[in-house]
Amino acid sequence: MKIRLTLAIILAGAVLSTLSARAQVAVVAVAGDPGHLNPAISTAGPLHAVADSIFNGLVSLDRDGTVQPDLATSWTVSPDGREVRFALSSGVKWHDGKPFSAEDVKFTFEEVLFRFHARTRAGLAPAVASVEAPDADTVVFRLKRPHPALLRQLNVTEAPILPRHLYAGTDPNRNEANSRPVGTGAFRFESYKRDDSVVLVRNENYFKPGLPKLERLVFRVIPEANTQVAALANREVDYLGRVVPSDVARLNGKATLLDTTSGPGGANCVMTLAFNLQRPVLAALPVRQAFAHALNRRQMLELVQFGQGRVAEAPIHSAIGWATLRGALRAYDLDPAKANALLDQAGLPRSANGERATLDLLMFPAFARYAELMRQQLAAVGIALRLKPLDPAAFATSVFTKRDFDLALISYCNGVDPEIGVRRMYHSTAIGNVPFSNAAAYRNADVDRLFDQAGSSTDTAARGEAYREIERIVARDLPYWWLVETDFTSAWRGDFADFAPWSGQFAERAFQKH
Amino acid sequence: MLLSRLAWAIGTVWLAASLAFLLIHLAPGGPAIALGGDSGAPGYLEEVARLYGLDRPLPEIYLDWLMRVATGDLGHSYRSGQSVLSLILERLPVTLALVAPAVLLSAIVGTLLGLLRTPRGFAASMAALHAVPGYLVGQALVMAFALGLGVLPVQGLVDGRGPGGGGIARLLDMARHLILPVLALALHNLTFVALLTRTRVMAEMERPYAVTAAAKGVAPRLVRRRHALPNAMLGLVSLFGSRLGGFVTGAVTIEVLFALPGLGRLAVTSAIARDHPVVIGLVLFTTAFVVTANLVVDFAFRRLDPRLEETA
């Protein structure tokens, strides 16, 4: 009797779930709870994975980083590069029916993004003198100096536009709309259950004709990578924004489509070893050179990334083709004998037990496999690593606030322009209590000057030359050792098409086949 | 008697919550990084610390917290602004739906298994199963049932594509989703109960009254059930009671593995986000729950065994 009842329950559930699977519904797995859904006051990953589908930026970026219209239909840059004028799409409505206008854009930048969005506040606000709204359909950015990265910093991930009528005169951190968001985006908010799910539904009045195609977009919070993959295989989930490298082979060829990109919004991340230059042992250049010769980066790519990426060839990510200096790191071939010689020369002889020095390596627990491999590789040249996995809050405090570390393993995401994510690693003004800034505490007046020069020129060729000069200098000084360019792999079930994993608005065009 | 017990219970809860308070405040990193994302701007960390009053000396924060807790106010979450008590009560049903069936299952099935005349190697296999963490048991169940047979869902409380709403269909859907997590949580404790019942009953079977019963010609099955088990039960109940806390902590890993939105998940996300009021509130709440459960078991025990009533 009991068994029959259980069977009946299972069957009933199975029938129900197949019946409801016919509509255009996509279930998306996200690894963390978003917390709230206001993408303009936070850069947290899980939040943007969900909220970017509810909002729009002025522009969007396509797969290769080319700027495309979003809320802005066109733009012109003045000859001196100090004024950028945007024509906005007309007739756009917020999800609550109120009209969207240039005032919303001005308000969002001045009152929210420039104050609370960490990257936009640090990377864009200092270059902007004012944002003006001469009429409802026009926005003008007046710049203190030419800022060539501007357009690429205006997509929905870097600069989502909020409704002024709901946020004006309030504290954006405590506004109720943060948990019941109203945007202009392809999907409208329906419900949010913490640590469980967020449900979005199609915005019938979306300003892009014919879009979106999906009726419902359901985000399920699934913290375990293994469970995410099992859920995809079991047809409970249709889209995984990020598959851990070791699972890629498991998913391959199972009616699942895999797409490899350099990260959402052109993240272009480089797994990097930061040397704390304030520690006497690591202040010696030969020691850092020894690390570069001792670490087997190809092994990291194969054993940790399962081939999802490339060995770093330059300090700047290879996807930023006009700025990267190919072959910049060629001098540091894998050569443990040379590493040993350099360490001898640096005055770090082997002690009785064969060890030269013991150093702390701090990292996120997710990067533990890199750390384990590094420990083995460095043991061969007599350097012992003490691994200290720390959660993000503790890591940021130890490395950037207290500067209590020898080595830190950091995934530095370069973004689509070196101004966004490279400058902060090297500029002397970026040393201090700011998470994921200049961890090495590297200071070089020439490098500072070249960054300032490249950041205020509109001539791409001249900028590229300045960045390559920077790369020549830092490849010689080695404040960091650049390990692997890590690719991101997304996966979705074969009956879906047109997901855009490189964009925050990844589901804008997606649909379910047949 | 009752009063001193109660005083002990309250003292335990206070101590546990205060320890949690200390640990989370002394842990490096504050809520700012979790709130602001990966790369805060200069001054942002200090701003957030000021906003939540975390720039004050620790004893001051502690006294402030203690005063409020004494009046029943657990505070508000940094992350969501929601009151801590409402957050906990919102998640409690999910954890109860996971823990209660697991407790019943392991108590009933475990006892029955322990009473069976079992083949050789039974105890060893139970002990081996008991040694496997619930987390791995869960993974194995996911592999076998969901991927191998494709019958049961591997995550969540309800079907993501489902129409939502309530009614019997939703309850059935939830039940389907809870089968694997409940099994994963129960198995660890079920094996424990089975082993314990077996050894206890075996010990009782050698005592004079059982030997006498057997000598009178009572069937061994009945000696076990009617004579040995009731006596063995006494020890079982108290030991089982002391393990209730284990179900609650076990639920944390199971909720993470099966993506269930219960108290365990709340604890993990809040700890990572340094959402101090929620973490401390949860410790307070679960300690109170376990201490109360133990009190209840204690009194139940006294009812079961009148001899204790006299010695107390």
Side-chain angles (χ1 to χ4, degrees), chain A residues 10 13 17 33 43 118-119 121 194-196 220-222 224 227 234-236 238 391 393 396-397 433-436, chain B residues 29 33 36-42 45-46 79-80 91 135 146 151-156 159 161 257 265 269 274:
Chain A
I10 293 169
S17 56
D33 183 67
T43 57
R119 278 195 302 268
R121 169 172 164 162
R194 278 172 207 287
D195 278 334
D196 183 59
R220 288 272 310 128
V221 183
I222 306 178
E224 272 302 300
T227 309
N234 210 26
R235 296 172 181 269
E236 292 168 51
D238 304 305
D391 72 4
T397 304
N433 191 11
V434 178
F436 306 98
Chain B
I33 289 154
D38 61 350
S39 47
L45 301 184
E46 292 81 356
R79 250 157 74 89
S80 64
R91 302 297 188 85
Y135 195 73
V151 186
L152 290 171
V154 296
Q155 52 82 36
D159 187 347
R161 287 188 197 79
L257 180 64
R265 287 280 297 293
T269 17
R274 300 290 192 273

Side-chain angles (χ1 to χ4, degrees), chain A residues 415-429:
Chain A
V416 286
D417 190 294
E419 268 299 286
I420 299 172
V422 178
R423 178 194 191 87
R424 61 177 171 173
M425 293 173 67
Y426 306 98
H427 205 282
S428 64
T429 56

Side-chain angles (χ1 to χ4, degrees), chain A residues 314-325:
Chain A
I316 293 180
H317 196 285
S318 61
I320 314 177
W322 55 272
T324 192
L325 179 65

Side-chain angles (χ1 to χ4, degrees), chain A residues 259-403:
Chain A
D259 190 4
T260 298
T261 68
S262 69
N268 294 336
C269 302
V270 185
M271 190 58 70
T272 304
L273 177 65
F275 302 106
N276 184 352
L277 300 178
Q278 291 165 333
R279 292 281 155 99
V281 173
L282 294 164
L285 180 61
V287 174
R288 304 199 297 276
Q289 289 169 334
F291 272 80
H293 286 295
L295 289 173
N296 185 342
R297 302 183 296 161
R298 174 137 311 273
Q299 209 174 38
M300 294 178 193
L301 176 66
E302 280 160 12
L303 297 184
V304 186
Q305 281 295 117
F306 292 83
Q308 309 288 305
R310 288 155 303 282
V311 168
E313 274 192 58
I316 293 180
H317 196 285
S318 61
I320 314 177
W322 55 272
T324 192
L325 179 65
R326 286 185 70 100
L329 309 178
R330 198 174 289 144
Y332 304 101
D333 50 336
L334 179 64
D335 188 348
K338 197 164 180 181
N340 273 316
L342 282 161
L343 290 168
D344 288 336
Q345 175 201 329
L348 282 180
R350 285 184 189 261
S351 67
N353 63 2
E355 278 177 15
R356 301 170 186 276
T358 303
L359 298 171
D360 291 336
L361 172 63
L362 277 55
M363 76 270 165
F364 289 176
F367 302 156
R369 297 173 77 152
Y370 280 100
E372 282 295 338
L373 206 53
M374 281 166 63
R375 176 155 70 181
Q376 290 171 26
Q377 295 172 356
L378 290 170
V381 297
I383 290 179
L385 290 188
R386 245 193 324 254
L387 306 189
K388 295 196 168 170
L390 295 172
D391 72 4
F395 179 90
T397 304
S398 303
V399 175
F400 298 97
T401 308
K402 297 186 179 151
R403 299 204 54 80

Side-chain angles (χ1 to χ4, degrees), chain B residues 192-236:
Chain B
F192 171 79
V193 174
L195 275 177
L196 201 71
T197 310
R198 202 177 116 97
T199 30
R200 292 261 165 177
V201 169
M202 272 165 63
E204 292 296 327
M205 288 294 278
E206 280 165 22
R207 309 237 334 237
Y209 72 88
V211 177
T212 311
K216 281 198 314 187
V218 181
R221 193 167 48 92
L222 291 181
V223 180
R224 268 172 209 280
R225 243 178 28 210
R226 296 258 171 82
H227 297 280
L229 182 63
N231 280 305
M233 275 305 265
L234 295 172
L236 277 173

